[in-house]
Amino acid sequence: MASSTIRPSSASSLFRLCNTTNTCAASLVSLNPSSRRFPYLASAVPQSHFFGLRASSKIWRGESRSITAGNMAQASTAASLLEWVKKDKRRMLHVVYRVGDLDRTIKFYTECLGMKLLRKRDIPEERYANAFLGYGPEDSHFVIELTYNYGVDSYDIGTGFGHFGIALEDVAKTVELIKAKGGKVTREPGPVKGGRTVIAFIEDPDGYKFELLERGPTPEPLCQVMLRVGDLDRSINFYEKAFGMELLRKRDNPEYKYTIAMMGYGPEDKNAVLELTYNYGVTEYDKGNAYAQIAIGTDDVYRTAEAVKLFGGKVTREPGPLPGISTKITACLDPDGWKTVFVDNIDFLKELE
């Protein structure tokens, strides 16, 4: 859109001097465009100040003070929310995704990956079922929530979702077990390129990839969720400010044209983390319809929603209790469209009782 330019009028066209001896009046006539854009300038200013050239400066100074005060208030709100987010008791609770055969997936995870079936529920009136699996109780561990929708046997994983990470003491032994059970190994065990950590990649029956990482004993074996993003710095900034996560480490791999950032609420060897991956030059991904979301605990879903909005996210479900139960949640999207649900900490624990 072309910009409009207001050129200054000459003194002769702007002012008409009166012929009286007592008055030197100036009148803003139609030649002054500002009198049409801001009518109050022409009507509310005394003539003795040449139609308010001094007074109007006071008006603008007043508006400037008002704008400055508004900016300061907004900055104060942002600082207050940022400080609250950092102090909020947050933890990654579970990751949710869809599968085509619930019993088949449960069998694979328990027999091949050593997970435990923590609970299972069927909701026939809404035509879906859930199963929660992991390496420890839900009140203290990051777990998987599988969703089976009646009659749907396959999903599109897309290109945006990367993998889940599982820390194991013996990767090679687990890979052999997976092979014996008919599982698919897409990368044999071996040191990661440029490092010493032994890793392997496998796929579950629905095609979800798992990275197996060899580590010593850990309180959180289900240790990673990897998602691809289109602007790594933007994502880091969002997850730090809106989610209160810490940037644990960042590594650039120019040889393979990608950069990763590990974000979380504590050290990688003791907590589940979010691995964000940026592939050089790729700004968008197909998210498919298989992967759903991560759930994170919070002490206040209402303030969480405020922070998400303020720091660049989109709230897709306003904070409040779920219909039929008292659990308060809010749902949001990050700048790349990845979904997260925040769950009230106290309500979540009540659900587990």
Side-chain angles (χ1 to χ4, degrees):
M1 185 175 78
S3 61
S4 60
T5 303
I6 299 176
R7 292 182 298 233
S9 302
S10 65
S12 60
S13 62
L14 181 62
F15 297 109
R16 293 180 303 177
L17 297 179
C18 300
N19 293 325
T20 62
T21 58
N22 297 326
T23 308
C24 182
S27 177
L28 293 178
V29 293
S30 59
L31 291 175
N32 184 0
S34 66
S35 67
R36 296 193 296 273
R37 294 173 59 206
F38 309 108
Y40 57 84
L41 287 180
S43 60
V45 184
Q47 291 181 352
S48 60
H49 284 169
F50 288 98
F51 282 84
L53 297 181
R54 296 178 190 169
S56 63
S57 67
K58 293 180 180 178
I59 293 174
W60 293 121
R61 285 199 300 270
E63 290 187 358
S64 177
R65 284 195 297 269
S66 176
I67 292 170
T68 301
N71 290 345
M72 290 176 64
Q74 186 177 15
S76 176
T77 299
S80 175
L81 266 179
L82 190 60
E83 186 65 23
W84 176 82
V85 166
K86 289 180 180 179
K87 293 180 179 179
D88 189 25
K89 294 178 182 177
R90 297 191 173 183
R91 179 177 71 85
M92 291 171 63
L93 304 177
H94 49 255
V95 59
V96 186
Y97 52 100
R98 304 171 182 93
V99 297
D101 185 326
L102 195 57
D103 292 332
R104 177 186 65 183
T105 305
I106 291 172
K107 180 179 175 68
F108 181 82
Y109 287 5
T110 54
E111 294 184 2
C112 296
L113 299 178
M115 295 186 193
K116 297 177 181 178
L117 176 62
L118 303 172
R119 60 186 170 115
K120 187 178 179 182
R121 64 187 180 191
D122 189 23
I123 300 92
E125 63 272 18
E126 297 185 31
R127 298 183 57 78
Y128 77 92
N130 290 129
F132 294 79
L133 296 101
Y135 295 97
E138 291 178 65
D139 61 357
S140 58
H141 288 72
F142 184 56
V143 306
I144 288 170
E145 178 183 342
L146 301 175
T147 298
Y148 169 70
N149 292 298
Y150 289 11
V152 183
D153 60 8
S154 65
Y155 293 92
D156 174 20
I157 294 178
T159 59
F161 169 79
H163 61 259
F164 303 113
I166 297 179
L168 303 165
E169 293 186 52
D170 192 335
V171 167
K173 182 178 179 180
T174 302
V175 166
E176 289 305 312
L177 176 61
I178 291 169
K179 288 180 178 178
K181 295 286 185 179
K184 183 178 180 180
V185 177
T186 59
R187 185 202 189 275
E188 292 291 335
V192 65
K193 293 177 180 178
R196 293 181 296 175
T197 303
V198 174
I199 67 166
F201 275 91
I202 61 114
E203 287 185 10
D204 77 358
D206 289 274
Y208 290 102
K209 290 182 174 62
F210 283 79
E211 180 181 12
L212 309 182
L213 303 100
E214 192 158 285
R215 291 180 184 171
T218 173
E220 195 69 279
L222 182 60
C223 58
Q224 290 179 5
V225 177
M226 192 275 259
L227 302 174
R228 298 182 177 93
V229 298
D231 184 328
L232 191 58
D233 290 335
R234 177 185 66 182
S235 295
I236 291 171
N237 183 64
F238 174 78
Y239 280 97
E240 284 181 326
K241 292 182 178 178
F243 281 28
M245 289 186 177
E246 179 185 353
L247 175 60
L248 303 171
R249 64 185 172 99
K250 185 179 179 182
R251 187 178 77 239
D252 187 30
N253 296 274
E255 181 182 356
Y256 301 101
K257 297 184 178 180
Y258 75 90
T259 308
I260 64 168
M262 296 294 190
M263 311 288 300
Y265 296 110
E268 289 179 64
D269 60 342
K270 297 180 181 179
N271 298 270
V273 300
L274 185 61
E275 178 181 345
L276 303 176
T277 298
Y278 169 69
N279 292 298
Y280 291 11
V282 184
T283 57
E284 292 184 1
Y285 293 92
D286 172 18
K287 294 181 178 59
N289 60 0
Y291 174 86
Q293 67 216 25
I294 288 175
I296 297 175
T298 175
D299 283 340
D300 190 332
V301 297
Y302 299 94
R303 295 200 75 181
T304 293
E306 289 179 30
V308 168
K309 292 175 183 177
L310 184 62
F311 297 121
K314 179 181 180 183
V315 172
T316 56
R317 188 194 188 282
E318 291 296 332
L322 287 166
I325 59 176
S326 60
T327 301
K328 295 181 288 296
I329 72 164
T330 187
C332 66
L333 301 178
D334 77 356
D336 287 274
W338 293 115
K339 183 179 179 181
T340 299
V341 174
F342 284 88
V343 184
D344 181 89
N345 284 325
I346 294 176
D347 294 345
F348 176 71
L349 292 177
K350 288 180 180 177
E351 275 193 36
L352 302 179
E353 292 176 353

